[in-house]
Amino acid sequence: LLQALNTLSTHIQWMIVMGGEYSVRKEGTTGRLLLSLTGPGSGGPYAIPATSSLNPNCSPAVDALQRCLREQFVYINVALTPQSLSAFWTALSMRLYDILVTRLLQHYTVTLKGAVILNKDVEALQYAASLAGTDHSHWGRLRELLSVFMTPPDALKTILVGAEGDINSGKGLFATIGKDQSLVFMSRRADFKIKTNQGFKKSVWVTDLLDDLGVSDPTDSTVNIALYAAERKHKK
């Protein structure tokens, strides 16, 4: 079972990286452009310019991946006992989540239009990951976090700490997800940094928001991606 899990994980990694990211590079000027291969992040499949047309469906790579997983599920369901199937598919769900989140936090930037596709991709993957298993709550938390990509800068404070704007209110993503986790995801916004003659620096709205909240930017130091693994979230 472990060998099968590793094989599927390798295939998932290949489809997300080669199917999603390579196709972006190949498209050139016909849609999903990389914002910058040398900027703060490599752009990726969700760095969709505002001038591009928006596909109402999930990305082709994720569509192919979720269909592949659903097809594989039919054969795995026949081969395993209900208990083994539940354990196997729960582990696969976590692997799938970790692969996507690692690519997102280390390599992607997300525009407003890209966030729409990212949300559809996560929804499709969540459905495939939830075909069996006992706990897939990590996908629900990820869906919550996607709001930091879909919200205009002037409304982010409400999303993070609630309508009162009080960091101690026990509301918003800081309360439900965590302060550092929310800010690390927010840092993958394509407008989080801007290019200047001196290189890339935080946008004015970012520094203003952090100052207003009285918090530091966790991405000023090295981010430990292992802290964002699905298994770790289930242990909390």
Side-chain angles (χ1 to χ4, degrees):
L1 286 180
L2 181 58
Q3 183 178 355
L5 182 62
N6 290 336
T7 299
L8 277 173
S9 298
T10 299
H11 188 63
I12 289 169
Q13 178 87 20
W14 181 85
M15 291 191 73
I16 288 178
V17 175
M18 297 302 295
E21 298 170 31
Y22 177 75
S23 65
V24 176
R25 293 173 173 85
K26 190 175 180 180
E27 285 181 13
T29 59
T30 60
R32 296 185 181 187
L33 300 175
L34 295 179
L35 289 184
S36 172
L37 291 175
T38 58
S42 62
Y46 306 113
I48 305 175
T51 55
S52 296
S53 58
L54 186 62
N55 189 325
N57 304 311
C58 61
S59 65
V62 167
D63 181 54
L65 175 56
Q66 63 92 14
R67 284 189 288 108
C68 177
L69 290 172
R70 290 165 66 180
E71 290 171 2
Q72 290 296 317
F73 177 80
V74 175
Y75 300 105
I76 296 171
N77 184 36
V78 173
L80 299 180
T81 65
Q83 184 177 3
S84 295
L85 174 65
S86 177
F88 181 87
W89 210 256
T90 297
L92 182 65
S93 172
M94 292 184 181
R95 292 277 188 98
L96 176 60
Y97 172 94
D98 290 347
I99 290 169
L100 177 64
V101 168
T102 297
R103 298 304 297 180
L104 174 62
L105 296 183
Q106 290 187 327
H107 301 283
Y108 297 164
T109 54
V110 184
T111 62
L112 184 60
K113 280 194 172 181
V116 176
I117 302 300
L118 176 58
N119 184 59
K120 292 181 180 294
D121 282 359
V122 170
E123 182 179 10
L125 294 176
Q126 180 181 12
Y127 177 80
S130 303
L131 291 173
T134 55
D135 189 354
H136 303 284
S137 58
H138 43 280
W139 291 103
R141 286 191 288 271
L142 179 57
R143 295 286 295 276
E144 281 190 73
L145 280 165
L146 296 186
S147 62
V148 300
F149 302 124
M150 302 178 180
T151 305
D154 58 0
L156 276 170
K157 184 177 180 181
T158 298
I159 295 296
L160 295 175
V161 299
E164 296 85 354
D166 181 6
I167 194 173
N168 298 312
S169 67
K171 298 179 181 178
L173 290 177
F174 279 14
T176 59
I177 302 296
K179 175 175 65 68
D180 285 355
Q181 293 91 329
S182 302
L183 293 176
V184 168
F185 270 81
M186 188 182 75
S187 73
R188 304 316 299 172
R189 288 177 61 114
D191 60 353
F192 189 83
K193 290 186 177 181
I194 57 175
K195 191 173 184 179
T196 69
N197 292 333
Q198 290 74 40
F200 284 89
K201 71 173 186 178
K202 292 186 182 74
S203 297
V204 172
W205 71 262
V206 175
T207 55
D208 287 348
L209 176 61
L210 294 174
D211 290 345
D212 191 18
L213 293 172
V215 297
S216 58
D217 180 6
T219 66
D220 284 341
S221 56
T222 302
V223 175
N224 183 1
I225 299 300
L227 297 177
Y228 300 86
E231 184 175 3
R232 186 179 182 90
K233 292 181 181 297
H234 284 288
K235 290 179 179 179
K236 290 184 177 181

